[in-house]
Amino acid sequence: MNSSQEKNSITPVEAIDAIEEVAGTYPGFRRAHAKGIGFDALFTSNGNAAPFTEAKFLQAGQVNAVVRFSHASPVPDFSERLMPIKGMAVQFQVDDNKPVSFAMANVPIFPTKTPEAFIRLIKVLGGSEKSFNEKLKIISNDTEFKTVPSLLKQLKTPSSFASTSFWAIHAYILTTALGEQQAVRFSFVPVTNASKLPFSTKDMEQELLERMSTSQVAFRLMMTVASPEDPTDDPSVSWPDERLVIDVGNLVLLKKREDNAENHFFDPTHEVSGFSCSDDPVLQYRSPLYEESYRRRSNHM
Ligand code: HEM
């Protein structure tokens, strides 16, 4: 089957089944990013994004937030050192029915342009019948995986969630009260200076809690403003480095949540007035996909 025939051929239910086939089923856990730690947090917007949008959480002021850091594996007790991909999910509690959420990773781009190609990548990487070199050969010969070998080389397990940058990756569309639109991408950049951190062999969750007991853990929310020629439908492509990047606010972790955000659902496609999803097919796919994962884990499947 070639890649064009493959388009739209995997339903979100089949995608979750495919992840379970590769990684196993762990009742009650997320089907990816199974292990994590949840916090209450406070976001202070400096208003720098306000000229682009009427979205409330980006007007000058403060908004409560829920934050969850995670290890990307679907296997809850997978070694955190062997899993370099980490996640950070942030939910702005502006509207309880439809809070805006970002579910981000510590890489600036996604390995594939489509969700179908990503599921295929999971199957190639996850299977046990081929050696790692054989898998690399398959990946290198597939045009849909052209950025994967260089991404794999760059991946390095971070020493602390507090010193790691996280990218929302997809483009979002901001709209002003006058209807003017602008495509942007968001990322969270740590305020902690990474170079000052010792390498920690401790559990990353414990490391974060210890760090919070002695110092503040905070991130800046950065917004990259697209030029008209920048693609909004391809999360596997970076926008040029010279694009305008605006510091739009500060997120401070307050305290660990008693529920650890275990039952939280961070849907990155919730829209509010002034803030909507782009035409990125991976972003559009994540809502029904995560809903299926949420359905299974909340039914203790
Ligand atoms: C087709 C592509 C993708 C697949 C198949 C996939 C799969 C999943 C699944 C099944 C979950 C569990 C959802 C839940 O139970 O609530 C999840 C969570 C997550 N994903 Fe993805 N994902 C994809 C794209 C992405 C992208 C592009 C990013 C980063 C920008 C990302 C970052 C995360 C994070 C951070 C979480 C944890 C959210 C939380 O803490 O609840 N994923 N993903």
Side-chain angles (χ1 to χ4, degrees):
M1 188 189 275
N2 69 32
S3 47
S4 58
Q5 284 169 319
E6 202 179 47
K7 270 204 157 165
N8 300 322
S9 63
I10 301 177
T11 66
V13 171
E14 287 165 346
I16 298 287
D17 287 343
I19 296 174
E20 288 185 358
E21 238 166 74
V22 170
T25 303
Y26 305 90
F29 286 94
R30 288 166 172 80
R31 268 36 182 188
H33 295 260
K35 182 169 171 272
I37 184 166
F39 294 92
D40 284 323
L42 185 67
F43 176 66
T44 306
S45 165
N46 55 24
N48 287 346
F52 297 91
T53 178
E54 56 178 346
K56 277 194 211 147
F57 76 104
L58 291 173
Q59 307 306 307
Q62 295 196 314
V63 179
N64 291 327
V66 178
V67 176
R68 181 175 180 266
F69 296 97
S70 57
H71 309 278
S73 176
V75 181
D77 60 357
F78 195 84
S79 158
E80 64 174 44
R81 291 280 133 208
L82 294 179
M83 171 46 71
I85 303 278
K86 306 298 177 193
M88 177 187 187
V90 178
Q91 188 167 77
F92 302 93
Q93 307 290 98
V94 251
D95 177 343
D96 286 347
N97 295 323
K98 279 218 146 191
V100 170
S101 299
F102 295 126
M104 301 164 286
N106 57 337
V107 285
I109 56 168
F110 199 60
T112 64
K113 183 177 180 182
T114 66
E116 291 74 23
F118 184 61
I119 299 298
R120 212 155 52 78
L121 180 64
I122 289 176
K123 287 181 180 170
V124 172
L125 285 175
S128 55
E129 63 285 353
K130 293 199 171 56
S131 70
F132 186 68
N133 282 343
E134 286 171 321
K135 290 175 184 177
L136 264 189
K137 203 168 162 203
I138 298 174
I139 289 169
S140 308
N141 289 334
D142 193 314
T143 52
E144 280 200 299
F145 300 151
K146 58 181 184 300
T147 58
V148 177
S150 69
L151 271 180
L152 284 176
K153 264 193 214 142
Q154 286 166 37
L155 285 177
K156 201 169 158 269
T157 305
S159 57
S160 170
F161 289 119
S163 63
T164 304
S165 289
F166 291 91
W167 287 265
I169 295 181
H170 313 287
Y172 287 91
I173 308 298
L174 299 184
T175 310
T176 64
L178 296 173
E180 295 152 334
Q181 294 201 319
Q182 175 63 54
V184 296
R185 280 177 170 175
F186 290 96
S187 60
F188 276 92
V189 174
V191 173
T192 311
N193 184 348
S195 62
K196 287 190 187 148
L197 288 173
F199 180 80
S200 166
T201 49
K202 277 182 280 183
D203 177 89
M204 284 177 72
E205 284 84 332
Q206 197 52 40
E207 194 274 344
L208 194 52
L209 292 173
E210 280 174 25
R211 181 176 300 282
M212 282 176 67
S213 67
T214 56
S215 56
Q216 192 180 68
V217 173
F219 293 81
R220 310 294 310 172
L221 176 58
M222 308 305 287
M223 185 175 94
T224 303
V225 180
S227 282
E229 66 270 29
D230 296 337
T232 53
D233 65 347
D234 191 347
S236 69
V237 170
S238 301
W239 291 347
D241 286 345
E242 56 270 21
R243 292 293 172 262
L244 176 65
V245 180
I246 305 174
D247 177 339
V248 299
N250 192 41
L251 179 81
V252 178
L253 300 190
L254 298 178
K255 63 169 188 349
K256 182 178 181 295
R257 284 177 65 95
E258 269 170 32
D259 67 1
N260 207 29
E262 292 301 345
N263 299 321
H264 234 78
F265 182 16
F266 297 88
D267 183 338
T269 68
H270 279 179
E271 300 181 335
V272 289
S273 190
F275 174 89
S276 51
C277 294
S278 64
D279 50 354
D280 180 335
V282 177
L283 177 59
Q284 305 287 343
Y285 196 77
R286 287 176 74 187
S287 184
L289 179 87
Y290 287 20
E291 247 174 62
E292 177 60 15
S293 171
Y294 182 72
R295 187 187 69 77
R296 293 189 196 189
R297 64 180 162 98
S298 29
N299 288 311
H300 210 75
M301 293 163 72

